[in-house]
Amino acid sequence: MANIKSAIKRIQIAERNRLRNKSYKSAVRTLMKKYFTAVENYAANPTEELKQEVNLRMSKAYSKIDKAVKCGVLHKNNGSRKKSRLVRYYKRHLKIDSKQQESSETNDSVAS
């Protein structure tokens, strides 16, 4: 343990910042997981209500990521990568869902 007053203060500040950073990172991860589940629900059953849910989750996640970047918890590129990951996930699930709908429509028309 440090004996010098300034060193003791720096240890306290570092601990305070560590806890703040930890809570920001945890919140970002939680919001991203909630967004991923919302996208999966929307892909499984596309309705207007679920689309609004996805957009709401995305805006909350974007906001928290931007705040974490602004506070210095995340690097700017790390924040950009996380936001890009959210959009990629959404587009990938929409593409899979549209392919499944097309194939089911094709199978229905062939069966007729």
Side-chain angles (χ1 to χ4, degrees):
M1 187 67 191
N3 291 327
I4 300 170
K5 192 174 184 181
S6 62
I8 292 170
K9 186 174 180 182
R10 291 304 304 167
I11 290 170
Q12 291 170 345
I13 291 170
E15 180 66 13
R16 181 189 69 204
N17 292 344
R18 184 186 70 83
L19 294 174
R20 185 185 310 138
N21 293 349
K22 183 178 173 184
S23 71
Y24 261 104
K25 287 180 182 181
S26 174
V28 166
R29 278 194 300 270
T30 302
L31 289 171
M32 288 179 71
K33 286 178 188 176
K34 287 182 179 180
Y35 170 79
F36 293 147
T37 57
V39 169
E40 287 174 3
N41 291 339
Y42 176 68
N45 183 18
T47 62
E48 192 60 35
E49 183 180 307
L50 289 176
K51 185 174 177 92
Q52 289 176 350
E53 174 80 14
V54 167
N55 290 334
L56 177 70
R57 299 275 185 205
M58 181 186 281
S59 68
K60 285 185 178 183
Y62 266 41
S63 176
K64 190 56 107 172
I65 290 169
D66 288 337
K67 286 178 185 176
V69 168
K70 186 174 78 173
C71 291
V73 175
L74 298 176
H75 190 272
K76 185 173 69 169
N77 292 350
N78 191 325
S80 295
R81 192 176 71 243
K82 287 182 186 300
K83 291 194 287 187
S84 173
R85 184 175 168 213
L86 295 176
V87 174
R88 254 194 352 236
Y89 194 82
Y90 179 70
K91 288 184 177 180
R92 188 179 321 133
H93 275 70
L94 285 184
K95 195 178 291 187
I96 291 169
D97 187 44
S98 64
K99 284 183 181 179
Q100 287 175 349
Q101 286 179 350
E102 288 174 3
S103 65
S104 66
E105 290 172 0
T106 307
N107 291 340
D108 291 342
S109 63
V110 171
S112 298

